[in-house]
Amino acid sequence: MKRFIVASHGELAKGIQSTIELFAGHELPITYITAYTKADSDLDDQLKKALAPVTPADQVIIFTDLMGGSVNQKLTLAAAPYKNIFIIAGFNLPVILEAVLSADPVDQKYITTLIDKGRAGLQQVSLPSKPIDSNNDDFLN
């Protein structure tokens, strides 16, 4: 089974959850971790709970917000014993949607492809040189 974990400092993961559920529904095997948001919410406990259902047959992708940040470091340590977990740091919405909606098996080649797509998806939007008719439904073409 494919499983996903989205983990962030603060409420970013909850915002991603809202958007993913809007586009892909509520029934996906995704765990969302929001670190350092409540005094009674221990990150280590959240990590244990998120990794508890993982079996050797699962394919797991963990998305963290910041490479080298404390959330990324703790997840890296917690996931180290597993051979079927991949961690992608610096996530964006298109990459997560691509992963959760894909039927492709999760392996190193697939993870590299996801990262490449994430990089390619970051683009500058060129502003028009003259005013656009705001009633034109086709203004982006």
Side-chain angles (χ1 to χ4, degrees), residues 2 4 6 15 23 27-28 31 33 35 46 49-50 54 70 78 89 94 96 98-99 101-102 107 110 114 116 125 135:
K2 280 189 183 177
F4 305 92
V6 179
F23 284 109
E27 301 302 320
L28 297 169
T31 301
I33 296 174
Q46 290 184 76
K49 184 177 178 182
V54 174
S70 59
I96 297 174
E98 171 87 19
L101 296 174
S102 174
D107 56 18
Y110 179 72
L114 273 180
D116 289 344
V125 176
N135 293 325

Side-chain angles (χ1 to χ4, degrees), residues 34-56:
T34 56
Y36 315 119
T37 57
K38 299 177 186 173
D40 61 348
S41 183
D42 182 35
L43 179 56
D44 291 326
D45 290 341
Q46 290 184 76
L47 299 180
K48 287 178 190 173
K49 184 177 178 182
L51 294 173
V54 174
T55 69

Side-chain angles (χ1 to χ4, degrees), residues 1-138:
M1 172 181 197
K2 280 189 183 177
R3 296 181 187 275
F4 305 92
I5 297 171
V6 179
S8 70
H9 296 82
E11 299 287 340
L12 178 60
K14 290 293 183 188
I16 290 289
Q17 177 181 9
S18 173
T19 305
I20 289 172
E21 289 175 352
L22 178 70
F23 284 109
H26 296 267
E27 301 302 320
L28 297 169
I30 306 174
T31 301
Y32 299 92
I33 296 174
T34 56
Y36 315 119
T37 57
K38 299 177 186 173
D40 61 348
S41 183
D42 182 35
L43 179 56
D44 291 326
D45 290 341
Q46 290 184 76
L47 299 180
K48 287 178 190 173
K49 184 177 178 182
L51 294 173
V54 174
T55 69
D58 291 334
Q59 300 173 342
V60 183
I61 303 176
I62 298 173
F63 298 97
T64 65
D65 58 349
L66 187 62
M67 178 66 171
S70 59
V71 174
N72 180 263
Q73 290 178 31
K74 286 185 174 259
L75 269 160
T76 300
L77 292 173
Y82 298 86
K83 302 300 179 213
N84 56 336
I85 292 180
F86 297 89
I87 299 175
I88 297 176
F91 64 76
N92 62 33
L93 180 62
V95 168
I96 297 174
L97 282 172
E98 171 87 19
V100 301
L101 296 174
S102 174
D104 293 339
V106 177
D107 56 18
Q108 187 58 57
K109 181 179 177 185
Y110 179 72
I111 296 300
T112 301
T113 299
L114 273 180
I115 292 169
D116 289 344
K117 287 182 178 184
R119 287 182 181 135
L122 291 172
Q123 300 180 24
Q124 180 179 358
V125 176
S126 298
L127 299 176
S129 58
K130 58 184 177 180
I132 297 175
D133 178 4
S134 62
N135 293 325
N136 183 355
D137 292 335
D138 198 30

